[in-house]
Structure formats: C-alpha cells, structure tokens
Amino acid sequence: MSAARQTYHHGDLRRALLEEGLELAREGGPDAVVLREATRRAGVSANAAYRHFADRDALLADVVSRAQAEAADVIARAIAEVDEFAEVDGFGEGGAGDPASRARARFRAVGVGYLRFALTEPGLFRTAFAVPTDLSRSASPDAAGAGGRTPFQLLSDQLDEMLVTGVLPAAERPGAELLAWSAVHGLAMLALEGPLRDLPRTAIDALTPRLVRMVDLGLGVVRPPSG
C-alpha cells in the first residue's frame, strides 16, 4: 500500500491532496495543479477528493498559500544570514553592524530571498505570485512561513525597522512595499519568462545585490552627512 493511501486511511486525505498539489505546482507551475491528477497521485477516487476540495480552484487556492509560505521561509533565511553576519561583525556606532545599517541590510535581504526563491523554485514562485488577484493572502496565517510571517509581512517588517532606525523618511513609508516588490518581481519575471531568461544564473545572482541597492536608494533612504 502506498504512503498516500496510508495517509488517506489515517484520515488526512486533505493534507495528502495538498502535498500532491504543491508538487504539481513545483513541477509545472499553477497550470499543472489539477485536482484529478492530485487524486490520481494520492491513489484515491475523485469522489473522495471532492469531500475536501469542491473543485480545482479550491485546491489551487490552498496551494498558492502554501507556496507563499515556502517563499516566506526562503526570505526569512536570507534575513537570518544578515543577522548571523551582524553578530560576528558587531554593532559599533556607525559601523557595518550598527542598527541602521542592519535595518537596511535586512531590507535588502528580503529582495535577495525573493529572487532566490524565484530562481530556485520557478514553479512555486509562479504559483505563489502570479495566481492571486489581490492582497487577501498578504496577512493570512495560511501563507505564513515557519516564523509566522508572510512574504508581504516580512517586507513590511523591514521597512518599519528602517523607519524606526531613521534611515527611511516617514514620507516615503506609505506604499513602499508595493514599490519594492514591483522592482524585484520585475527582475524575477524577466529572468524566468522574459528576455533575460537565457542569462546564466550567475549573471542574475550578480544583478540581485545591485537591484536591491537601487531599490534602497530609490525609496529616499536618509544618508548621514559625509565628512
């Protein structure tokens, strides 16, 4: 008996179907998420599946949330890398690890993590961010990663931190999520489906820190006077 059937007989068919749907998205993006195929892979009848998902759209909606949660985990790891570096580097006044510099580095890490997810998990990335028609999942617990925050919330958190530490002008804070998100999403889509898709991964990786720096500067981040 397959693991999927054992899961079904243990009363957790919904989770099994969702896992199969997530794998379909990983392999082929949102168009590959088909309820009939998920039931076939889970080894159960369509009638059994319909007790948990009314149709394909219902399954896809949950897969979208799960894909966003996976994106949140990748972004959170990128932020954690900044924190790990700061612990070694220290937080001396005006140094590379001072709170203001750390806030900016964590903000940039959100973009790095987002693009990292797009390039390593293109099927899940398309599912997570091409299917939703609004921001209804931006604060949904179903779209949150292991740390309890969604991708949108992680971005908002870092912008708030920049505001508190004085490197982001208050006038630039409203709507800053949408501006920053648009920039990194644009590069992701150009690399996955646009004229940059034939560039090697190393080329996109080299562009990533420059892009997030430009976003940082474009938001009107306050700089200390030189000299």
Side-chain angles (χ1 to χ4, degrees):
M1 181 177 292
S2 69
R5 278 195 182 277
Q6 290 178 17
T7 300
Y8 163 63
H9 285 301
H10 281 86
D12 202 1
L13 176 57
R14 180 182 178 85
R15 183 187 64 80
L17 290 171
L18 183 54
E19 291 297 332
E20 296 296 349
L22 196 66
E23 285 306 306
L24 289 169
R26 193 186 306 275
E27 295 166 11
D31 292 343
V33 181
V34 179
L35 186 56
R36 184 176 297 277
E37 177 61 15
T39 59
R40 186 192 69 78
R41 292 189 178 200
V44 298
S45 69
N47 287 339
Y50 287 132
R51 289 198 290 269
H52 299 279
F53 296 100
D55 53 26
R56 182 254 183 184
D57 288 343
L59 174 62
L60 180 59
D62 279 7
V63 170
V64 167
S65 292
R66 282 288 301 277
Q68 289 192 11
E70 293 213 9
D73 286 337
V74 175
I75 293 169
R77 285 195 291 273
I79 296 172
E81 290 169 8
V82 171
D83 294 338
E84 291 168 4
F85 174 80
E87 287 179 5
V88 174
D89 190 59
F91 285 93
E93 181 67 27
D98 76 284
S101 296
R102 180 190 180 199
R104 291 178 54 212
R106 284 166 62 94
F107 166 70
R108 295 182 185 190
V110 174
V112 170
Y114 189 89
L115 285 162
R116 185 181 295 169
F117 179 71
L119 296 176
T120 57
E121 294 283 5
L124 290 184
F125 175 79
R126 292 184 178 95
T127 303
F129 301 109
V131 174
T133 58
D134 55 32
L135 292 174
S136 60
R137 288 182 179 81
S138 62
S140 170
D142 294 334
R149 307 297 282 171
T150 68
F152 195 81
Q153 288 174 324
L154 288 169
L155 174 56
S156 294
D157 291 346
Q158 305 321 312
L159 287 165
D160 288 342
E161 186 177 341
M162 287 178 34
L163 180 65
V164 169
T165 55
V167 293
L168 178 64
E172 299 296 335
R173 180 62 188 89
E177 291 93 342
L178 304 183
L179 298 173
W181 185 11
S182 297
V184 294
H185 186 80
L187 178 58
M189 296 308 294
L190 287 170
L192 292 178
E193 299 179 357
L196 302 186
R197 61 183 176 273
D198 290 332
L199 289 180
R201 169 70 184 269
T202 53
I204 303 301
D205 287 343
L207 289 173
T208 295
R210 295 179 61 190
L211 173 68
V212 296
R213 178 177 180 273
M214 288 177 64
V215 175
D216 180 354
L217 295 173
L219 287 174
V221 176
V222 176
R223 304 288 181 215
S226 59

